[in-house]
Amino acid sequence: MAVTDHDAGGHQSSLPVEQRGPAGTFRYQRIAIDQPDLQFAIEVHPRLTIVAVPNDLVARTARTLTSALTSDEPGVHCELTDPDGRNLLLFRPHGGRSRVIDLDTQGEVDPLALPPMEAQAAEDNGAVPTAAEVVRRLSGLDQAPLWTAAARLSAASRQGAQVLQEVESKATSSGHRFPFGRKGRERKSGRTNKTVSDALTVLEQAGERWRSIAGDIPLHVALALRPGIEACADARGRTAALATMAAGRDDHLSEQALESTVEVVAALLARDPNLPEVLVLPPPNVGRLGLQLMLDVMPGLLVGRQVMMVTTSVDIVDWGRLESHADRASVTIFGA
């Protein structure tokens, strides 16, 4: 059975408020795996838990942790807090019925109601670029004009909606039907026509400016992924300095390593922050400086999330131990 190397005290209630999960989230406190070929227990940190395992157990461990909240696999037991603030135990014995126990009342409760996943499924059907593609494309652009264009389009949309609402309200109160569409509106005369026309012109110009920078990426998608876009843009900006530091050496930062970092960031931010997440790091072929870059941007992405990181990397374990000293992470080593 594995033991926790650094576990931040093992009790979520003792943590500062800023380290607890936001309201409305599922947050693990402890996971115990009791299966013939996989046995360990984790005191899950509210922010980041690093689980170090041998190479041959990476895929199995990641799969088990990923499905721990939703599956009925025997021998996978979880203590957690649900969005209603209840402290629950998901008890899945071998040869017995799975149950959900309220640890405060000691009574059995109904199975968990998990958030719907339709939003992510809709994104993946090709109607809009995936989160990973959005982060990859927009993080490679100059951020100042990108977000200036986003702010202008947002403001123009709000102003245009306000103008149209005011004009249509006046038309309705006067008993006149306001023609639909821009041409219909322009048939009206005087100040109303100029006000509407000006608002639509500003909106069209802001939209054209946004599309000239962001292409086919909708504004609302970019805004939703802005933290990841900016984190990856910052990571791209650091590559020049890291490459300069590594000049003439074999451990230079490759474009592939940078794209691996972007992929990890995008994958994390595309998921529901209300549910615990599992990452397998490092990706293949990132190199020492690539891993350094990835770990450098990681802390800023963990705000409001609970992540379990499965790894075989000694460097990640050492980094996790440093984070644990500041109570920002815990490290569990399989078989320790």
Side-chain angles (χ1 to χ4, degrees):
M1 182 73 70
V3 297
T4 300
D5 187 23
H6 299 277
D7 61 21
H11 300 288
Q12 185 175 3
S13 60
S14 66
L15 292 166
V17 171
E18 60 270 18
Q19 290 195 21
R20 301 178 194 172
T25 60
F26 290 89
R27 290 296 181 258
Y28 289 126
Q29 297 174 3
R30 178 180 171 84
I31 298 177
I33 311 297
D34 180 19
Q35 297 181 334
D37 54 347
L38 193 65
Q39 296 181 338
F40 61 86
I42 307 172
E43 301 289 344
V44 185
H45 192 275
R47 184 170 178 267
L48 175 63
T49 303
I50 295 172
V51 184
V53 299
N55 279 315
D56 60 335
L57 288 179
V58 170
R60 173 68 192 281
T61 301
R63 180 187 66 79
T64 302
L65 293 177
T66 298
S67 62
L69 191 63
T70 57
S71 76
D72 285 327
E73 190 173 359
V76 180
H77 313 293
C78 311
E79 294 181 24
L80 56 88
T81 303
D82 77 349
D84 295 324
R86 298 180 301 175
N87 296 309
L88 303 178
L89 168 64
L90 309 186
F91 182 57
R92 299 160 178 148
H94 292 279
R97 180 175 62 87
S98 296
R99 289 175 287 169
V100 181
I101 307 298
D102 188 318
L103 294 175
D104 297 323
T105 66
Q106 298 298 305
E108 184 172 352
V109 297
D110 292 335
L112 298 179
L114 299 177
M117 303 303 290
E118 289 83 0
Q120 182 63 31
E123 179 193 66
D124 290 340
N125 66 9
V128 297
T130 65
E133 179 65 17
V134 170
V135 172
R136 183 182 298 107
R137 284 165 56 182
L138 296 190
S139 66
L141 302 177
D142 188 342
Q143 296 297 287
L146 173 68
W147 299 118
T148 296
R152 287 176 178 172
L153 180 55
S154 295
S157 297
R158 289 192 300 270
Q159 180 65 24
Q162 182 180 351
V163 168
L164 292 179
Q165 183 178 12
E166 291 174 355
V167 171
E168 291 178 356
S169 177
K170 291 178 182 178
T172 301
S173 63
S174 64
H176 298 290
R177 184 173 179 269
F178 192 76
F180 182 79
R182 182 175 181 178
K183 290 184 178 179
R185 294 185 181 105
E186 290 180 343
R187 285 197 294 268
K188 295 185 69 65
S189 61
R191 181 176 176 81
T192 296
N193 176 61
K194 185 174 186 306
T195 300
V196 173
S197 179
D198 288 348
L200 290 175
T201 298
V202 170
L203 180 58
E204 289 173 355
Q205 291 174 346
E208 289 173 1
R209 175 60 176 165
W210 170 257
R211 288 187 293 274
S212 72
I213 297 175
D216 62 345
I217 296 174
L219 176 63
H220 72 277
V221 173
L223 293 176
L225 293 171
R226 182 169 180 171
I229 293 166
E230 292 182 325
C232 286
D234 185 49
R236 290 179 186 275
R238 299 178 199 181
T239 58
L242 289 172
T244 300
M245 291 168 54
R249 292 153 47 186
D250 293 333
D251 56 354
H252 66 281
L253 184 67
S254 67
E255 183 67 19
Q256 180 182 2
L258 175 59
E259 293 305 321
S260 294
T261 299
V262 172
E263 192 71 31
V264 168
V265 171
L268 180 60
L269 291 175
R271 298 168 185 167
D272 188 346
N274 293 323
L275 299 174
E277 289 297 333
V278 177
L279 293 177
V280 178
L281 293 181
N285 305 318
V286 295
R288 186 183 64 84
L289 287 178
L291 179 57
Q292 175 185 334
L293 175 64
M294 194 172 295
L295 296 179
D296 193 30
V297 303
M298 187 62 65
L301 304 175
L302 298 176
V303 177
R305 296 178 180 271
Q306 185 181 55
V307 175
M308 290 174 285
M309 187 183 297
V310 181
T311 188
T312 61
S313 169
V314 174
D315 290 335
I316 290 180
V317 170
D318 289 342
W319 172 79
R321 284 174 169 154
L322 291 175
E323 290 289 294
S324 73
H325 290 320
D327 204 14
R328 293 192 294 259
S330 67
V331 178
T332 295
I333 302 176
F334 182 86

